[in-house]
């Protein structure tokens, strides 16, 4: 019987899990981690909702990450086989690298995973985020503080 997900999707999912674990690990300061925010599943759902071109591009990002890391890290290991700390170091290193395509890789990973992480209600609550006006149709419900902008300090230009 054939695997319904297939090799490429499984590879992308292993990579998404590895990035999630590295970028949003368990911590002692109370911030939700990748498991509490269900980051892997939610990222898969997000990718599945994208138009076909963006869907393929984002899957390719994670597949490339998993399979090209032996060349990019100069170690004969897939991205997911490194420790979470080492994976985080690799992403940070690529973001600061002199070679622009490696910066794009690191920035794309950081942007995608950060967007998914910060869209979870427990993260919103942890950061004490709020909206300044009601948006009833927004599925992500933030607390509303209508007077917040009035309390900002006035800056003379």
């Amino acid at each position: 019987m054939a695997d319904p997900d297939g090799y490429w999707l499984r590879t992308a999912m292993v990579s998404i899990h590895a990035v999630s674990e590295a970028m949003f690990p368990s911590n002692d300061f109370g911030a939700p981690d990748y498991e509490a925010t269900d980051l892997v599943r939610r990222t898969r759902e997000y990718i599945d909702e994208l138009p076909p071109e963006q869907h393929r591009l984002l899957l390719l990002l994670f597949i490339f990450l998993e399979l090209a890391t032996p060349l990019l890290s100069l170690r004969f290991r897939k991205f997911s086989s490194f420790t979470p700390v080492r994976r985080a170091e690799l992403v940070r290193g690529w973001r600061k690298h002199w070679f622009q395509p490696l910066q794009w890789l690191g920035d794309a990973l950081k942007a995608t995973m950060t967007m998914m992480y910060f869209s979870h209600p427990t993260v919103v609550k942890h950061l004490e985020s709020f909206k300044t006006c009601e948006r009833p149709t927004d599925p992500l419900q933030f607390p509303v503080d209508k007077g917040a902008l009035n309390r900002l300090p006035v800056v003379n230009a």
Side-chain angles (χ1 to χ4, degrees):
M1 184 171 166
D3 180 3
D5 287 342
Y7 173 77
W8 297 114
L9 184 56
R10 284 193 322 273
T11 300
M13 293 308 298
V14 165
S15 180
I16 290 168
H17 183 272
V19 174
S20 299
E21 182 182 30
M23 293 180 67
F24 302 103
S26 298
N27 58 77
D28 294 333
F29 46 88
D33 64 9
Y34 77 101
E35 291 177 313
T37 59
D38 204 7
L39 194 55
V40 177
R41 181 193 58 78
R42 290 175 46 249
T43 303
R44 162 93 189 256
E45 287 177 358
Y46 168 70
I47 291 171
D48 287 346
E49 291 179 11
L50 292 172
E53 295 81 15
Q54 288 84 2
H55 174 91
R56 284 189 298 270
L57 188 61
L58 210 46
L59 281 180
L60 184 60
L61 169 70
F62 291 105
I63 292 166
F64 178 81
L65 172 67
E66 182 69 3
L67 300 180
T69 296
L71 294 173
L72 302 176
S73 68
L74 303 177
R75 302 278 193 285
F76 193 67
R77 302 172 80 172
K78 292 181 180 179
F79 184 77
S80 61
S81 68
F82 285 102
T83 66
V85 171
R86 180 65 181 130
R87 285 182 241 145
E89 290 170 352
L90 285 169
V91 173
R92 280 193 300 272
W94 293 330
R95 293 186 71 218
K96 294 187 279 186
H97 202 277
W98 63 268
F99 187 55
Q100 189 73 47
L102 288 180
Q103 290 178 18
W104 295 334
L105 172 65
D107 288 347
L109 292 167
K110 175 77 172 174
T112 301
M113 300 316 295
T114 300
M115 174 187 68
M116 293 308 303
Y117 177 77
F118 280 97
S119 67
H120 194 274
T122 60
V123 176
V124 171
K125 184 177 180 179
H126 177 75
L127 296 174
E128 299 177 3
S129 298
F130 59 87
K131 297 178 188 177
T132 58
C133 63
E134 300 211 21
R135 298 192 184 272
T137 59
D138 187 350
L140 184 59
Q141 294 300 310
F142 283 69
V144 176
D145 184 350
K146 293 181 180 178
L149 297 177
N150 294 330
R151 292 190 300 276
L152 290 175
V154 177
V155 178
N156 294 327

